[in-house]
């Protein structure tokens, strides 16, 4: 949370008749007290908000203001994830310009460890063809079992990876498992596998091959992260999933959701052109 966010909050709190003290971008005891008073009027009240630290209550207050303007911040939980980041940016822009901005890419650029989409064939070799060539692939064992999206009773314990990305995928799966644990991965539906290697064209394209045709892309939980859904609907845009994406991005992988606000199910070892 930046000083501009706190200034915005102080301005709004004063306009609502609370007393946040001077509008100085600093969260002091008077601002904290005003935030507390404002939050107490929220319906429904977020669970446990009384014992949250003041900073978390301030974030919750910004989330509530965004929601009041029709901008979806995700759940009012006081946690700063990509959805809140988007909502607060939109909220401040709305105040400044009177307009709701489109999604913009708010991530720090991931390290450039993988080629761009245009360079993929030069780096990874030819893509797979249905009933023909198959790229060199490795089965990377997963530390938690995946349920298959189209048949949830069926599980599998690995992901197919292009041999050049297999070590990276293995590290990523280990880190994700360490961070969340198997139970939470299940509860968050991060154990729902919706695709790895697939020799097919990009959805909606007549000529461009999907990154899945090189076995350098994965889809998770497609039913709750539809292709054309934005961060307001996609489950993987919620704050709970921020560590999941940061683990992929630390290895240079690209989330289409985080960079383009579409296809939130998808992650790939290729940068966007
Ligand atoms: Zn995909």
């Amino acid at each position: 949370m930046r000083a501009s966010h706190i200034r915005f909050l102080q301005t709004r709190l004063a306009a609502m008749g609370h007393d946040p003290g001077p509008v100085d971008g600093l969260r002091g005891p008077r601002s904290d007290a005003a935030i507390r008073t404002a939050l107490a009027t929220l319906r429904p009240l977020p669970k446990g908000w009384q014992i949250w630290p003041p900073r978390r209550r301030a974030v919750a207050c910004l989330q509530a203001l965004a929601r009041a303007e029709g901008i979806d911040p995700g759940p009012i939980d006081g946690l700063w994830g990509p959805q809140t980041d988007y909502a607060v940016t939109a909220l401040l822009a709305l105040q400044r310009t009177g307009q709701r901005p489109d999604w913009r890419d708010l991530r720090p650029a991931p390290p450039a460890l993988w080629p761009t989409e245009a360079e993929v064939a030069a780096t990874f070799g030819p893509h797979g063809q249905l009933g023909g060539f198959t790229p060199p692939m490795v089965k990377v064992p997963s530390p938690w079992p995946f349920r298959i999206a189209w048949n949830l009773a069926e599980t599998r314990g690995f992901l197919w990876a292009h041999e050049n990305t297999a070590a990276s995928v293995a590290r990523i799966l280990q880190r994700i498992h360490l961070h969340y644990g198997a139970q939470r991965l299940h509860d968050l539906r991060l154990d729902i596998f919706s695709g790895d290697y697939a020799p097919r064209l990009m959805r909606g394209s007549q000529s461009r091959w999907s990154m899945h045709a090189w076995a350098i892309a994965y889809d998770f939980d497609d039913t709750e992260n539809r292709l054309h859904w934005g961060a307001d609907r996609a489950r993987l845009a919620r704050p709970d999933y921020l560590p999941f994406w940061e683990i992929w991005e630390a290895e240079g992988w690209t989330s289409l959701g985080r960079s383009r606000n579409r296809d939130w199910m998808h992650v790939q070892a290729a940068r966007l052109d």
Side-chain angles (χ1 to χ4, degrees):
M1 203 168 27
R2 300 192 207 106
S4 58
H5 301 147
I6 295 167
R7 261 197 306 278
F8 173 85
L9 200 46
Q10 289 167 327
T11 307
R12 283 295 177 93
L13 287 166
M16 288 157 73
H18 304 299
D19 175 19
V23 176
D24 56 5
L26 301 170
R27 203 171 37 70
R30 279 166 80 185
S31 296
D32 284 344
I35 287 165
R36 206 189 156 85
T37 313
L39 263 191
T41 65
L42 263 189
R43 294 293 178 272
L45 272 164
K47 239 193 208 142
W49 72 280
Q50 294 97 332
I51 57 164
W52 288 351
R55 183 191 181 276
R56 185 168 173 186
R57 286 206 289 260
V59 173
C61 209
L62 283 169
Q63 290 171 331
L65 289 169
R67 181 169 290 174
E69 294 284 0
I71 300 164
D72 181 7
I76 310 283
D77 56 7
L79 302 175
W80 191 283
Q83 180 76 25
T84 298
D85 204 28
Y86 153 75
V88 173
T89 303
L91 186 62
L92 267 67
L94 181 64
Q95 182 204 33
R96 213 168 46 242
T97 66
Q99 300 204 322
R100 285 156 213 276
D102 291 332
W103 176 269
R104 60 191 181 88
D105 188 348
L106 297 160
R107 297 162 312 138
L113 302 173
W114 304 113
T116 64
E117 288 183 349
E119 300 160 343
V120 156
T123 304
F124 293 111
H127 57 76
Q129 303 263 9
L130 196 59
F133 178 75
T134 304
M137 294 191 294
V138 176
K139 265 186 185 181
V140 178
S142 172
W144 69 94
F146 281 107
R147 291 178 282 164
I148 311 288
W150 52 94
N151 176 13
L152 290 174
E154 192 187 326
T155 59
R156 62 186 269 184
F158 64 90
L159 295 178
W160 283 112
H162 190 282
E163 63 180 8
N164 295 1
T165 63
S168 176
V169 173
R171 283 191 297 270
I172 288 166
L173 295 180
Q174 295 293 344
R175 285 176 198 147
I176 290 171
H177 183 248
L178 254 178
H179 179 84
Y180 290 100
Q183 183 59 49
R184 193 122 192 281
L185 286 165
H186 176 90
D187 296 344
L188 290 173
R189 298 171 62 88
L190 284 173
D191 67 333
I192 298 187
F193 167 86
S194 292
D196 51 10
Y197 171 64
R200 61 170 169 82
L201 295 173
M202 274 185 188
R203 289 192 182 93
S205 171
Q206 309 298 311
S207 57
R208 296 188 69 190
W209 283 82
S210 165
M211 296 298 115
H212 290 281
W214 279 273
I216 59 165
Y218 300 97
D219 293 330
F220 300 99
D221 193 13
D222 61 306
T223 51
E224 299 214 2
N225 299 279
R226 300 270 184 211
L227 189 60
H228 298 293
W229 285 4
D232 55 331
R233 296 184 74 186
R235 172 181 270 274
L236 281 161
R238 297 181 192 169
D240 281 341
Y241 300 90
L242 185 57
F244 175 77
W245 291 123
E246 286 176 345
I247 290 166
W248 284 100
E249 286 167 4
E251 289 267 342
W253 291 63
T254 298
S255 150
L256 291 183
R258 300 248 297 159
S259 44
R260 292 286 187 270
N261 196 26
R262 59 185 294 280
D263 202 357
W264 278 90
M265 72 180 94
H266 177 99
V267 67
Q268 64 184 39
R271 290 176 288 136
L272 299 172
D273 296 327

